[in-house]
Amino acid sequence: MSNYYHFNLNAAIALTRLNHLDQAIEILFQQLHMLEHECDQAYFMGVNKQLGYIFYRKESYIDAVYYYMCGIDSSKAVPDIVYNYITTAMGALGEGDCPEFRQLAVNWYHRLFSRSMEAKRLSENKRPCGATAPALF
C-alpha cells in the first residue's frame, strides 16, 4: 500500500509540472482524506507542501499559505525558493482576509527561516567574540 500512495504524490507532482493543476489538487485532496495516511507524517506534510505550491501557482495565496502552514515545520530551515513563495503569498494576503487566520499566518511566518538565513546566522555565530584587541598607538 505504501508504494501506491507515494505513487499518487509523485503523479500529482508530475501533473503540476505539466500545468494540470486542478487534476493534481484532486489527487492530493483524495490523499489527505485517506485515513491510512494519517500516521505517515512525512507523507502528509509532503502532500500539504505540494498543495501549497500548487495554490501559489494558481495565485490563490490564502490557500497557499494555509497548506504551507500544514506542511512545513517552522522550527527547521526551508529551501530559499519555498521561503520566497511563502513571502510572496504572505505579502498578497489582504487586510480583509480572515483576521484570525491572518494573525496565525503572520505568527507562523515570523518563526520561519530560509536555509540561506540559517547559513548566515551560523556563520555569524562562528565568529570569535573579541578575538583581536584594539590597536594601541
Side-chain angles (χ1 to χ4, degrees):
M1 185 68 171
S2 76
N3 290 337
Y4 172 72
Y5 70 86
H6 285 279
F7 171 80
N8 286 325
L9 177 56
N10 289 332
I13 291 169
L15 287 167
T16 302
R17 290 180 179 155
L18 294 170
N19 210 30
H20 296 288
L21 304 180
D22 291 330
Q23 288 174 305
I25 289 170
E26 185 178 327
I27 289 171
L28 294 171
F29 278 166
Q30 289 171 2
Q31 297 304 295
L32 286 180
H33 298 296
M34 296 183 79
L35 296 177
E36 62 264 20
H37 302 161
E38 286 183 1
C39 57
D40 189 345
Q41 192 65 22
Y43 180 76
F44 184 73
M45 291 178 79
V47 168
N48 279 294
K49 282 190 266 191
Q50 187 64 23
L51 281 166
Y53 176 65
I54 293 169
F55 282 113
Y56 171 82
R57 292 259 315 266
K58 289 180 67 104
E59 296 181 0
S60 178
Y61 295 123
I62 194 164
D63 292 322
V65 170
Y66 173 79
Y67 286 106
Y68 274 131
M69 286 173 63
C70 293
I72 293 177
D73 178 357
S74 63
S75 69
K76 298 177 182 171
V78 296
D80 291 345
I81 192 158
V82 173
Y83 185 81
N84 290 337
Y85 295 154
I86 295 168
T87 299
T88 300
M90 288 297 296
L93 288 183
E95 292 295 326
D97 291 326
C98 177
E100 296 85 12
F101 173 75
R102 188 171 173 12
Q103 188 59 51
L104 282 172
V106 167
N107 292 342
W108 172 79
Y109 179 73
H110 287 304
R111 291 189 309 268
L112 274 184
F113 54 99
S114 68
R115 288 193 180 136
S116 62
M117 291 166 68
E118 180 182 47
K120 181 180 177 186
R121 182 183 58 81
L122 290 173
S123 70
E124 287 174 355
N125 287 343
K126 288 181 181 178
R127 291 184 189 154
C129 299
T132 59
L136 299 173
F137 297 141

